[in-house]
Amino acid sequence: PMPAPAAPVVVEPAVADLLKVMEDTWNASDMDAMFAVATPDIHWVNVVGMHWQGLADVKQAHVVFFNIMFRGVPLKLEAVEHVKALPGGARLLVVRWLLGAYKTPSGEARPPSQNRMSILAVPGPGGLLISHVANIEVNPQAARHNPV
């Protein structure tokens, strides 16, 4: 028998608001606003496996890479694939972004790509805050062979 189709993902306003801030602040190259919705002890694992810890380092790494390669590179939310409610009001999210073309620090031209991001969002005074991110570039060649 075929597995039952997955239930539609319910995106609560607080989740939608956080993702909108992430998208809008990326597109504005505004790291101050982007990380105003982060916890002081944030962890961020980027698409090439760099692991930054703590708000100051996470923000600084983004500032450096925006200055080098991401300023003006568009980011668009394609899908919220999963939202899991956790104790205490936290949410575990899986989202898919479309990132525009850019050049790496070594000068390699990278085409537009999909990124799949896991986000741990925790309640804060004005809404959800980013506590942990793991960002993975979707490999389209490998995706063709996904067995499920």
Side-chain angles (χ1 to χ4, degrees):
M2 295 293 291
V9 175
V10 176
V11 180
E12 306 156 280
V15 169
D17 291 348
L18 179 64
L19 295 173
K20 177 103 173 92
V21 167
M22 291 177 75
E23 182 177 35
D24 290 351
T25 57
W26 175 284
N27 288 322
S29 300
D30 186 346
M31 299 301 98
D32 288 332
M34 185 172 182
F35 292 105
V37 294
T39 61
D41 61 349
I42 185 174
H43 281 240
W44 192 291
V45 179
N46 79 351
V47 294
V48 293
M50 295 176 189
H51 180 195
W52 306 314
Q53 301 173 50
L55 183 56
D57 285 353
V58 171
K59 183 177 171 185
Q60 178 61 25
H62 279 82
V63 166
V64 167
F65 284 128
F66 264 77
N67 287 338
I68 293 172
M69 62 186 176
F70 288 127
R71 185 170 310 282
V73 174
L75 182 73
K76 178 167 178 33
L77 180 64
E78 285 194 313
V80 178
E81 297 178 334
H82 182 70
V83 177
K84 179 171 182 67
L86 299 175
R91 297 290 182 266
L92 184 59
L93 314 174
V94 179
V95 301
R96 194 175 64 244
W97 302 100
L98 179 60
L99 179 66
Y102 64 96
K103 281 193 178 177
T104 67
S106 63
E108 177 189 358
R110 300 289 300 157
S113 61
Q114 287 182 320
N115 290 331
R116 184 163 282 121
M117 180 181 280
S118 294
I119 304 167
L120 177 61
V122 299
L128 291 173
L129 300 174
I130 307 163
S131 178
H132 183 98
V133 166
N135 195 21
I136 301 161
E137 184 174 325
V138 175
N139 179 319
Q141 289 77 29
R144 293 194 310 250
H145 304 286
N146 185 346
V148 293

